[in-house]
């Protein structure tokens, strides 16, 4: 939704299992910082980033509001209030923990339940921790999967600042296009 | 409610609020609201979502709220860094107000204390889970490594076993050939070693020795006359009776044999040494070279003594014809308690049929 003159405000939610690097991705993108220390997110922390996009030869100012949300497990839920009204989602998995990749489908479904068919991009994070062969294997796995193959997937490393900008800018673009389209 | 009580409650529960007009502009009327959020109090109204940006995306719900079709909008557990490195947690609520100028009120309730505590719990639980997972992976890797090591160990053990077996076979073969070399110089025939060793095994089994001991006595027995290799031909091959001096030299084959097999402490060599030295000892102590008696003579030597004599009695020699089995058995029986261990004689009588069959199966070709 655009509020104010020619400024789009995009609510983007970060979803994924615990310790996959959701907060690290936000910190890297918004504040350009990275810490090895793991700090669990409780509730939601919203960070803002102003960007300028070119879309159909038009320059658009966008304020991306990144909702860094706690992971869900049997002790805490991802509240629907956090998801509702979102323009898109970054759904994150840790490439070193296969179960977090399997769980992407659960997060996709949950997001769609409360936000409808909004844009989703997948982030397979912590690629700095795997070797070239493992990377190739994962890439094939994602391409073979019926659900994942239809989505934009970014292999990211918050630590090494790989693909982070692309990840968020592509989602912002996708969200605006899908809203206007 | 008095202002004092009202303010005291507000301070305790840490609830802050601010008014919002129908244009969704937030009006700066309550200082503590802005202080809590660590935002400088604006001089003029500002757009609600500029201050409470957590409400971006809730525009439809806000419209419903203004129309009275929704009672409130709640967003719990919002985390903000209100000062550097200081996180606050609050619950956010947007509700309608009966004032015509301010149809909405935004309320924030500080929950920093409880949520900070909860955050620590979640953090601790997640870290434990990660650690457990890492440990499980490490364990899995270790198990895999263990399996590989175990497999390699088994392979190594097998190879060592095969090599040891090979070495053992080579050693036995060398000993056997040495013993045969001694036999070639002796009027006794080559098959004597085989028959005598096999008879030893029959006896050893009969008196209850282990299979390992049976194996030792079989191979060790073949070395009983190894010392003859060191006896001059003039004495060893003399057709007639030996003089006293010659006999003393002849008896030396026991000691020479034991010496040939000295300086090696494998079970086989020890057995060979015992048998070579003591197979001419007698139960009554009148044997040679040490004149020991009874159970002071090693069981292996006692067994070999009987087997050696029996085979000699039933075999042709240049100086005598082979005795019939019955006569030989009878002679052995007569030697019980004097020349031979009575228990071994008893065992021999029990296996005499097998001993006779063995003699027939391995009969010398020359006879």
């Amino acid at each position: 939704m655009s509020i104010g003159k020619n400024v789009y405000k995009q609510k983007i939610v970060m979803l994924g299992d615990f310790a996959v690097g959701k907060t690290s991705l936000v910190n890297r993108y918004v504040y350009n910082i990275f810490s090895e220390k793991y700090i669990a997110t409780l509730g939601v922390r919203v960070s803002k980033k102003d960007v300028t996009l070119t879309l159909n030869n038009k320059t658009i100012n966008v304020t991306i509001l990144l909702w860094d949300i706690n992971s869900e497990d049997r002790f805490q839920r991802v509240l629907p209030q956090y998801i509702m009204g979102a323009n898109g989602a970054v759904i994150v998995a840790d490439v070193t923990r296969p179960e977090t990749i399997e769980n992407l489908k659960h997060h996709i479904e949950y997001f769609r339940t409360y936000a409808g068919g909004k844009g989703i991009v997948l982030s397979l994070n912590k690629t700095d921790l795997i070797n070239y062969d493992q990377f190739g294997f994962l890439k094939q796995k994602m391409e073979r999967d019926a659900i994942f193959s239809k989505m934009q997937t970014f292999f990211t490393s918050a630590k090494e600042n790989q693909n982070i900008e692309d990840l968020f800018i592509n989602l912002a673009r996708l969200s605006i296009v899908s809203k206007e389209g | 409610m008095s202002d004092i009580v009202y303010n005291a409650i507000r301070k305790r529960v840490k609830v802050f609020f601010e008014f919002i007009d129908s244009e969704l502009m937030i009006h700066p009327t309550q200082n503590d609201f802005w202080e809590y959020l660590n935002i400088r109090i604006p001089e003029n109204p500002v757009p609600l979502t500029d201050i409470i940006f957590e409400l971006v995306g809730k525009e439809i719900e806000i419209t419903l709220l203004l129309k009275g079709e929704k009672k409130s909008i709640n967003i719990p557990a919002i985390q903000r860094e209100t000062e550097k490195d200081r996180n606050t947690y609050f619950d956010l609520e947007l509700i309608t107000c009966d004032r015509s100028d301010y149809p909405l009120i935004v309320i924030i309730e500080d929950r920093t204390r409880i949520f900070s505590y909860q955050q620590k719990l979640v953090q601790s639980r997640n870290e434990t889970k990660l650690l457990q997972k890492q440990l499980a992976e490490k364990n899995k890797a270790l198990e895999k490594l263990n399996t590989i090591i175990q497999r390699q160990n088994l392979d190594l053990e097998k190879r060592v076993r095969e090599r040891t077996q090979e070495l053992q076979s080579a050693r036995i073969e060398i000993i056997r050939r040495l013993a045969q070399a001694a036999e070639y110089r002796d009027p006794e025939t080559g098959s004597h070693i085989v028959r005598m060793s096999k008879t030893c095994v029959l006896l050893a089994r009969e008196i209850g020795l282990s299979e390992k001991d049976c194996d030792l006595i079989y191979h060790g027995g073949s070395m009983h006359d190894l010392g003859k290799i060191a006896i001059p031909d003039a004495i060893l091959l003399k057709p007639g009776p030996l003089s006293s001096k010659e006999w003393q030299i002849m008896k030396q084959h026991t000691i020479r044999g034991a010496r040939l097999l000295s300086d090696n402490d494998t079970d086989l060599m020890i057995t060979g040494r015992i048998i070579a030295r003591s197979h001419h000892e007698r139960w009554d102590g009148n044997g040679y070279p040490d004149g020991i008696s009874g159970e002071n003579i090693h069981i292996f030597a006692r067994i070999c003594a009987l087997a050696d004599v029996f085979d000699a009695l039933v075999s042709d020699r240049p100086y005598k014809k082979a005795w019939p089995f019955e006569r030989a058995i009878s002679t052995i029986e007569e030697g019980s308690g004097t020349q031979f261990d009575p228990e071994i004689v008893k065992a021999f009588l029990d296996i005499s049929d097998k001993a006779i069959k063995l003699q027939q199966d391995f009969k010398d070709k020359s006879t």
Side-chain angles (χ1 to χ4, degrees):
Chain A
M1 157 154 295
S2 64
I3 294 176
K5 278 186 184 174
N6 302 322
V7 176
Y8 282 86
K9 285 192 175 175
Q10 295 287 296
K11 174 179 174 178
I12 304 294
V13 294
M14 307 290 295
L15 294 174
D17 286 0
F18 77 93
V20 292
K22 298 183 290 295
T23 305
S24 291
L25 288 170
V26 173
N27 283 343
R28 173 60 83 186
Y29 182 57
V30 179
Y31 310 107
N32 196 25
I33 54 170
F34 176 80
S35 167
E36 294 276 2
K37 195 182 172 198
Y38 166 64
I39 295 173
T41 303
L42 188 94
V44 59
R45 189 186 69 148
V46 182
S47 301
K48 285 193 288 185
K49 170 114 174 166
D50 295 322
V51 294
T52 304
L53 299 178
T54 306
L55 208 64
N56 301 328
N57 295 323
K58 279 196 287 185
T59 301
I60 303 166
N61 294 318
V62 181
T63 297
I64 300 174
L65 292 143
L66 290 169
W67 282 55
D68 184 14
I69 299 171
N70 64 261
S71 57
E72 179 166 294
D73 57 26
R74 63 196 177 99
F75 298 102
Q76 55 179 0
R77 290 186 59 219
V78 171
L79 298 172
Q81 294 101 299
Y82 295 159
I83 310 288
M84 286 156 77
N87 301 106
V90 177
I91 303 184
V92 190
D94 174 349
V95 289
T96 68
R97 286 158 59 205
E99 77 279 7
T100 66
I101 298 173
E102 284 307 308
N103 287 343
L104 285 172
K105 288 174 186 169
H106 160 76
H107 297 296
I108 291 168
E109 196 184 326
Y110 192 76
F111 177 74
R112 284 181 174 158
T113 304
Y114 292 103
K118 302 288 171 53
I120 295 174
V121 292
L122 305 178
S123 161
L124 294 192
N125 196 31
K126 305 191 188 181
T127 53
D128 52 286
L129 298 177
I130 57 170
N131 60 34
Y132 187 77
D133 289 342
Q134 289 168 314
F135 176 79
F137 174 77
L138 265 175
K139 205 159 182 253
Q140 278 182 8
K141 180 185 161 82
M142 298 303 280
E143 282 164 1
R144 276 201 304 266
D145 190 285
I147 295 173
F148 299 151
S149 62
K150 290 175 193 155
M151 292 178 177
Q152 287 191 50
T153 302
F154 293 84
F155 287 86
T156 57
S157 166
K159 185 179 180 178
E160 294 181 352
N161 200 5
Q162 275 179 3
N163 267 346
I164 310 292
E165 185 88 12
D166 282 351
L167 172 78
F168 288 107
I169 292 296
N170 272 283
L171 180 58
R173 210 184 290 274
L174 186 70
S175 307
I176 293 166
V177 170
S178 67
K179 190 166 66 65
E180 292 202 331
Chain B
M1 192 187 297
S2 75
D3 282 353
I4 296 170
V5 174
Y6 175 74
N7 286 331
I9 292 169
R10 267 185 62 187
K11 199 171 179 182
R12 186 167 176 77
V13 295
K14 285 194 177 175
V15 174
F16 311 97
F17 67 92
E18 195 53 282
F19 294 103
I20 297 151
D21 66 20
S22 56
E23 297 298 311
L24 298 184
M25 302 294 277
I26 185 164
H27 288 249
T29 63
Q30 310 288 319
N31 288 352
D32 55 359
F33 176 89
W34 302 92
E35 275 166 20
Y36 177 76
L37 292 175
N38 198 24
I39 297 171
R40 197 158 57 85
I41 302 169
E43 290 174 7
N44 300 306
V46 286
L48 172 65
T49 53
D50 282 2
I51 305 301
I52 311 294
F53 43 82
E54 290 85 359
L55 287 169
V56 168
K58 300 281 181 191
E59 291 79 3
I60 297 169
E61 287 179 75
I62 293 171
T63 309
L64 294 174
L65 198 63
L66 285 167
K67 284 182 183 170
E69 292 173 17
K70 193 171 171 69
K71 285 183 178 172
S72 65
I73 296 169
N74 297 291
I75 306 176
I78 291 172
Q79 182 195 335
R80 274 204 192 184
E81 200 177 86
T82 48
E83 287 173 33
K84 190 166 167 49
D85 298 330
R86 184 179 160 265
N87 278 327
T88 53
Y89 289 94
F90 58 85
D91 289 345
L92 177 77
E93 192 173 18
L94 197 63
I95 57 168
T96 51
C97 175
D98 52 8
R99 285 176 59 163
S100 58
D101 51 347
Y102 299 130
L104 296 172
I105 296 177
V106 60
I107 302 169
I108 54 181
E109 181 182 347
D110 181 66
R111 306 263 284 158
T112 304
R113 214 168 142 192
I114 181 77
F115 284 150
S116 295
Y117 178 67
Q118 273 188 22
Q119 192 277 337
K120 283 188 180 72
L121 286 180
V122 171
Q123 169 101 16
S124 162
R125 194 181 61 227
N126 287 357
E127 280 174 346
T128 306
K129 275 190 204 166
L130 284 175
L131 204 64
Q132 279 172 342
K133 192 177 156 45
Q134 280 169 4
L135 278 174
E137 275 168 11
K138 291 249 188 305
N139 271 342
K140 208 173 160 186
L142 272 176
E143 272 172 24
K144 206 173 167 184
L145 209 63
N146 264 344
T147 311
I148 293 169
I149 290 171
Q150 272 175 1
R151 207 177 297 143
Q152 282 176 344
N153 273 349
L154 284 175
D155 189 45
L156 206 64
E157 274 172 23
K158 191 182 162 210
R159 281 160 62 192
V160 167
R161 218 167 30 240
E162 282 170 1
R163 188 79 186 119
T164 308
Q165 185 69 41
E166 212 172 277
L167 284 170
Q168 179 79 343
S169 300
R171 194 183 296 139
I172 289 168
E173 189 55 30
I174 289 166
I175 290 163
R176 196 162 273 285
R177 283 175 193 216
L178 255 178
Q180 267 177 353
E183 290 292 327
Y184 285 142
R185 297 188 59 250
D186 195 307
E188 290 172 8
T189 58
S191 298
H192 168 66
I193 290 176
V194 179
R195 289 191 306 262
M196 188 261 192
S197 300
K198 285 184 180 288
T199 306
C200 282
V201 173
L202 285 176
L203 285 168
R205 273 207 191 105
E206 186 62 23
I207 63 168
L209 295 191
S210 68
E211 276 309 302
K212 188 190 169 195
D213 282 345
C214 290
D215 196 47
L216 282 173
I217 204 167
Y218 176 73
H219 295 297
S222 66
M223 293 181 256
H224 70 288
D225 272 343
L226 189 65
K228 283 184 178 174
I229 209 161
I231 303 298
D233 283 355
I235 296 170
L236 190 69
L237 305 174
K238 188 178 177 181
L242 299 176
S243 69
S244 171
K245 194 179 171 189
E246 286 168 338
W247 184 235
Q248 289 307 317
I249 293 170
M250 185 62 178
K251 283 177 176 179
Q252 287 292 310
H253 83 275
T254 52
I255 295 168
R256 297 277 175 87
R259 211 173 282 159
L260 276 170
L261 299 168
S262 63
D263 297 331
N264 186 300
D265 283 337
T266 59
D267 287 350
L268 180 61
M269 293 302 264
I270 293 170
T271 305
R273 220 148 57 212
I274 290 167
I275 292 171
R277 188 175 182 102
S278 304
H279 72 282
H280 282 298
E281 298 290 355
R282 289 171 55 103
W283 182 254
D284 58 12
N286 291 324
Y288 65 89
D290 300 310
I292 50 175
S293 61
E295 290 186 356
N296 289 327
I297 308 163
H298 195 283
I299 185 73
F300 290 170
R302 279 182 267 151
I303 290 170
C304 282
L306 191 152
D308 190 29
V309 169
F310 176 69
D311 192 73
L313 291 177
V314 296
S315 300
D316 281 336
R317 290 285 185 270
Y319 52 86
K320 73 161 190 73
K321 281 281 173 195
W323 288 13
F325 292 125
E326 295 75 18
R327 189 182 163 197
I329 293 166
S330 170
T331 301
I332 296 287
E333 203 173 355
E334 283 166 19
S336 177
T338 52
Q339 189 172 358
F340 307 117
D341 177 346
E343 287 298 315
I344 295 172
V345 172
K346 193 169 167 287
F348 175 73
L349 295 175
D350 290 342
I351 54 104
S352 57
D353 287 350
K354 289 180 191 168
I356 291 166
K357 188 172 183 308
L358 200 148
Q359 289 292 331
Q360 289 161 343
D361 290 347
F362 293 90
K363 203 172 178 181
D364 288 322
K365 283 174 188 167
S366 57
T367 58

